[in-house]
Every structure is written in structure tokens, then in C-alpha cells.
Amino acid sequence: MKKTLTGAVALGLSLTATLNAEAAVSLDSCRNMALRNNKTIRLAEEGIRSAAYEKKAAFANYLPGIDFTGGYMYNQNQISLLSEDAKLPTMSFDPATQTFKYNILTTPDGTPITDPSTGGLIPTEVAVIPKEAMEFDTHNVFAGAFTLTQPIFMGGMIKAMNDITKYAENVAVAMKNSAVQDVVFGVDQAYWTVVSLGEKRKLAESFVALVDSLHQNVQALVDEGMATRSDLLTVQVSLNQARIARTKVDNGLSLARMALAQICGLPVNSDLHLADEDGPAVGAAAPPQVSMPDVYARRQDLEVVRQSINILGSRERLALSAMLPKVAAVGMYSFSNPNVNHGFEKKFGGGFSVGATITVPIWHWGRDYNHYRATKATTNAQRLLLEDLEEKVELQVSQAQYSFNEAHKTYEMTLANMESAEENLRSAQLGYREGVLTTDDVIAAQTAWLAANSEKIDAQIGIRLCEVYLSKVLGTLAY
């Protein structure tokens, strides 16, 4: 039973691997694999995430901020408010006048006696404040504060910063979309290159078989004495050239498959069988209608420039805000040890305070104004760049349309050439059998048939490549 189950599992895995290896891969599947595995797109996605976080950070500037500041300081000396003992004069209540009077030295007639050295009055009684009573231990000082700041008017700075981050996020999205279009365009080019070489490999096989058939016929005629050795050698050279061409196509096809696998994020030795290798279909014969304003709106590279202009416009308002007043409300709870609110008591203590701040720029020698004018000049330069790019895009669209029409006309001409080449080959083969044409004539007809078929394949693939390029320049290659 165990062996039977093991064999069944192994057979199932083998069949699955075989089916996966032989399953045809469509263009859509190649695009999906490339978009999932492309590093540039993943970097662009990280850029979008970063821009979104910056946007949230800018919005936080509208909200009040809470901060804590703390510190410690060691002082060599302590604070002493007196340099020596203080002697303060005293007062006594006089019932006769119902007032307090200083206790001063007077003459018998009540005249105050002054100090000859200072000219001041001489008290008869003093209150003594010892020097030690006004000394405070401030060797170790701890202090801290919790501060709440609420912006009220910042001159438009916060609004400008929020706009900048919003436009920066749009730039990141546009850059990702542009990267997606580039990847899809690269996948389509690699995909149709593989299809083209696959068709040319089939053509090379057919050409080798065609020349080999001629070689066998000439060999039979040589054996019967109806053809010369020179004719046989001429056909042999043509056969060798056909085989060399087939080898080159095989090598080119292998390299093209490796390139496509690398773009799709697969191992380069992956055996990709493409759905269109059985025969590429020809696309639409007429290009789509074009509205240049719509093209400008869809082009992601132009969108990057447009959002950059918006960013620079916000930078202008940011520079202007530096010249405007700024108002904020402030609330604070501060504390210290020693406690300055209670006679430098060796305990933590503090209190609340509330206020407002205003900053008014007055004169900075034109610094802020010149910075504002510089940002305006940069914005104008970016607008000129956008106009120049739009003109180039219009030319690009015209060139793509001409290439699209030319590809279809070329394909129609290759179909006519194919009919002529096939008829020419049939006539040459018939003439050679009738003895009116030489082997050189047949080889020339075969070579013309090969060239006509090759041109037809190139024209088919050219139509596909022109379609995808036209979609790219029109901005409709979104995926």
C-alpha cells in the first residue's frame, strides 16, 4: 500500500510538472509575472508608502504638540542672598498720632540725629537677619517641564507642507504607473521577439527541408548522368548555408527565451512555450482616434511634471509664510528640585502656566523675499518644461501613428510578395524538372521564397510592436 501511494504521488507530480512545462504562456501571463517580480515597481511601491507616511506626518502639524524637557546641573557654589548679616530698622506704634514711627535716635527736643559718616538716621533698635538664613543649597539642581504648543496661525506654512506631501504622493503614484508601462512595454517586446524567432525557426526548418529535397533530386540526376557534379556542389553549399542559418535562429531563439524569462522573474533556463508561437494574429488595421488633451492627461511622465509644478507652487506659499506673522498658544507645567516656589525646599514642586507667542518678521535684508522670488522662477521653469514635453509628445504620437500605418502597408505588400515568391518557386521547380532552368535558378527562387516569408513574419511582429508602442505613447498601456 505504501509503495502504491508513493508511486501514485510521484506519477501525479510528474504529470503536473509535464503539464506545467508544456502549458502555453500567454502575453497576459508574462505581463503578470513581470509586474509581480520587477524590482523597479517594488521600489516605486515603497516610494508610495513613504509618501503616504510623510503626508500623515505633515497633517500632524495641525494638532497640538506635547514635549517634555528635563535637566540636571551641579553648581560649585550655593546661592546666598546676603553678603553679611542684615540689620533692619524697626517701628513702634505712636498712640498720639495713631501711626507707626521708626525707632531712631533723637535729641531731647525730638530732633533725629544723623550718622556723620553716612548721613543716614541712627536706629535705636534693629532686626537682625543672619547671613546663614538666606543661604540655599543649590549644588544639585533638577528641573523639568511639560509643554503643550498649539499652532494658531503659521502664515500658511502648515497648509503648504500638507499640499507638498499630497502632491509628492501623486508623484510617487505616477512614477509607479510609468514604471508599470515601461515593464509591460519591455515584456511585449521580448514576447513578440520570441514569437518572431519561433516563426523564423519553423521557416528555417522548411527551407532546409526544401533545399534538402532539391539536393536529393540533383543527387539522383547526377547518379543517372543527367546533372553535373558542379550542380550538386552548388546545391550542397546552399544546403549548408540553410543549416547554418537554422543554427543561428535556434541560438537567437534560446537567447530570446532567456531574456523573456529574466524579465518575467523566472530562471533563465525556463522552457517557455508561448501561446502565440502557433501563429501571431495581425492586429487592428486602423489606429485609434487621438485627442491630444486626453493623451496629455493619460501620460504618466507628464503627470510627474504636473505634480512637480504643484509642489513648486506650494513651495512658493511656504516661502511666503516665512514673511508672515506666526501665532501659537502655549501651556506648560514646570517643576524643579530645589523647589523655587517654597524657599528652595529640597523637594520637587512646580506649577502651571499658560500663554501665547507671536513672531513677526521685520527685517532680514531681503533674504526671505529673494527666496520667494527664486521659488517662483523655478515654478515658471517647470511650466516651460511641461510645454516643451507636450510638444515632443505630440510629435511622438504622430511618429507612432505613421509607423503603425506603415507597418500595415508593409504587411499587405509582404502578402503580395509571398504569392509571387511561391509562384516563382513553383515555376522554377517545374522548369528545372523540364530541363529549361538550372539549379542556380531554383536556388534563387528558394532564396526569394525564404526572404518573402521572413519579411512577412517581420511585418506581422512589426504590427504588434507598433500597436504596443502606440498604446504607450498614447498613455493607454495601463495595466
Side-chain angles (χ1 to χ4, degrees):
M1 177 70 71
K2 187 178 296 184
K3 292 182 179 179
T4 303
L5 288 174
T6 303
V9 172
L11 178 61
L13 292 176
S14 176
L15 290 174
T16 302
T18 302
L19 290 174
N20 289 338
E22 295 178 354
V25 180
S26 66
L27 177 60
D28 189 68
S29 298
C30 291
R31 288 176 171 181
N32 279 325
M33 289 187 289
L35 294 177
R36 283 196 305 267
N37 300 316
N38 187 266
K39 299 294 190 301
T40 302
I41 294 177
R42 290 164 68 179
L43 288 173
E45 290 173 348
E46 292 299 325
I48 294 175
R49 293 191 186 94
S50 176
Y53 292 138
E54 291 291 346
K55 184 179 177 181
K56 292 181 179 179
F59 180 77
N61 290 320
Y62 284 115
L63 307 176
I66 300 176
D67 302 288
F68 171 76
T69 304
Y72 164 79
M73 181 176 292
Y74 172 79
N75 298 302
Q76 179 183 3
N77 300 315
Q78 62 183 8
I79 294 178
S80 179
L81 299 182
L82 299 176
S83 60
E84 59 183 12
D85 293 345
K87 300 179 177 62
L88 303 178
T90 62
M91 301 179 73
S92 299
F93 183 74
D94 186 357
T97 61
Q98 296 293 310
T99 59
F100 285 91
K101 293 184 178 180
Y102 281 102
N103 298 317
I104 58 175
L105 184 63
T106 60
T107 60
D109 59 359
T111 303
I113 300 175
T114 59
D115 187 349
S117 60
T118 62
L121 299 176
I122 302 174
T124 57
E125 295 179 2
V126 294
V128 178
I129 301 177
K131 176 179 180 297
E132 293 79 6
M134 300 301 291
E135 292 179 348
F136 306 98
D137 183 6
T138 56
H139 290 297
N140 299 288
V141 178
F142 301 86
F146 290 94
T147 305
L148 184 146
T149 305
Q150 172 61 60
I152 297 176
F153 177 73
M154 294 288 112
M157 178 182 66
I158 298 178
K159 176 66 167 57
M161 291 175 62
N162 276 268
D163 290 341
I164 288 174
T165 55
K166 180 183 70 175
Y167 297 137
E169 186 178 22
N170 295 339
V171 168
V173 172
M175 291 179 66
K176 183 206 169 182
N177 293 336
S178 180
V180 167
Q181 290 185 349
D182 291 339
V183 170
V184 171
F185 181 69
V187 169
D188 285 24
Q189 283 187 313
Y191 181 91
W192 293 114
T193 299
V194 172
V195 172
S196 173
L197 291 173
E199 290 295 305
K200 288 187 176 182
R201 187 184 185 283
K202 296 176 185 177
L203 179 62
E205 292 283 357
S206 299
F207 185 67
V208 169
L210 186 65
V211 178
D212 186 58
S213 176
L214 176 63
H215 181 266
Q216 293 176 6
N217 294 336
V218 173
Q219 181 66 57
L221 291 175
V222 170
D223 294 340
E224 295 178 4
M226 300 177 62
T228 65
R229 182 72 177 172
S230 176
D231 293 336
L232 182 62
L233 292 176
T234 300
V235 176
Q236 182 65 48
V237 170
S238 180
L239 179 59
N240 291 337
Q241 291 175 344
R243 288 170 176 167
I244 291 173
R246 181 181 61 184
T247 301
K248 290 182 178 179
V249 172
D250 286 339
N251 293 337
L253 180 58
S254 298
L255 293 175
R257 289 187 193 277
M258 291 181 182
L260 178 60
Q262 191 273 331
I263 293 175
C264 293
L266 300 174
V268 293
N269 57 353
S270 299
D271 185 16
L272 291 177
H273 175 67
L274 305 184
D276 289 282
E277 284 189 88
D278 296 331
V282 180
Q289 296 295 325
V290 175
S291 171
M292 291 312 301
D294 293 338
V295 173
Y296 298 150
R298 289 192 300 263
R299 285 288 294 258
Q300 295 302 300
D301 50 349
L302 298 183
E303 180 65 16
V304 171
V305 180
R306 284 192 291 268
Q307 295 300 328
S308 299
I309 292 175
N310 293 334
I311 290 175
L312 292 173
S314 298
R315 286 185 57 190
E316 289 181 25
R317 295 190 293 274
L318 189 62
L320 180 63
S321 69
M323 297 183 284
L324 300 176
K326 298 173 180 61
V327 181
V330 179
M332 179 184 297
Y333 177 82
S334 57
F335 58 92
S336 65
N337 184 355
N339 186 357
V340 296
N341 297 324
H342 293 280
F344 289 87
E345 184 182 14
K346 297 293 288 184
K347 293 181 180 179
F348 280 100
F352 289 96
S353 56
V354 179
T357 63
I358 180 171
T359 303
V360 181
I362 297 177
W363 182 254
H364 295 281
W365 303 100
R367 179 196 64 189
D368 297 332
Y369 181 60
N370 287 322
H371 180 60
Y372 172 69
R373 292 195 295 181
T375 56
K376 287 184 68 68
T378 305
T379 306
N380 293 333
Q382 196 74 357
R383 290 194 180 98
L384 293 174
L385 174 62
L386 178 60
E387 293 176 3
D388 181 62
L389 291 177
E390 287 179 346
E391 293 175 357
K392 292 179 179 178
V393 166
E394 185 175 4
L395 177 61
Q396 194 179 40
V397 170
S398 299
Q399 292 174 339
Q401 288 177 315
Y402 282 124
S403 298
F404 183 90
N405 293 327
E406 181 181 351
H408 278 277
K409 292 179 181 178
T410 301
Y411 177 70
E412 293 174 358
M413 288 186 290
T414 58
L415 292 179
N417 291 340
M418 273 290 301
E419 295 179 1
S420 300
E422 289 177 352
E423 179 62 24
N424 181 45
L425 178 60
R426 190 188 65 80
S427 299
Q429 290 173 338
L430 180 60
Y432 183 74
R433 285 196 297 268
E434 297 294 334
V436 296
L437 295 177
T438 64
T439 55
D440 290 336
D441 297 325
V442 178
I443 292 174
Q446 290 175 340
T447 303
W449 176 85
L450 175 66
N453 277 276
S454 180
E455 289 173 355
K456 176 191 172 186
I457 295 172
D458 290 339
Q460 285 179 304
I461 302 304
I463 289 175
R464 285 297 189 181
L465 293 178
C466 286
E467 284 178 354
V468 68
Y469 179 69
L470 182 59
S471 297
K472 186 174 186 294
V473 299
L474 293 179
T476 58
L477 196 60
Y479 194 79

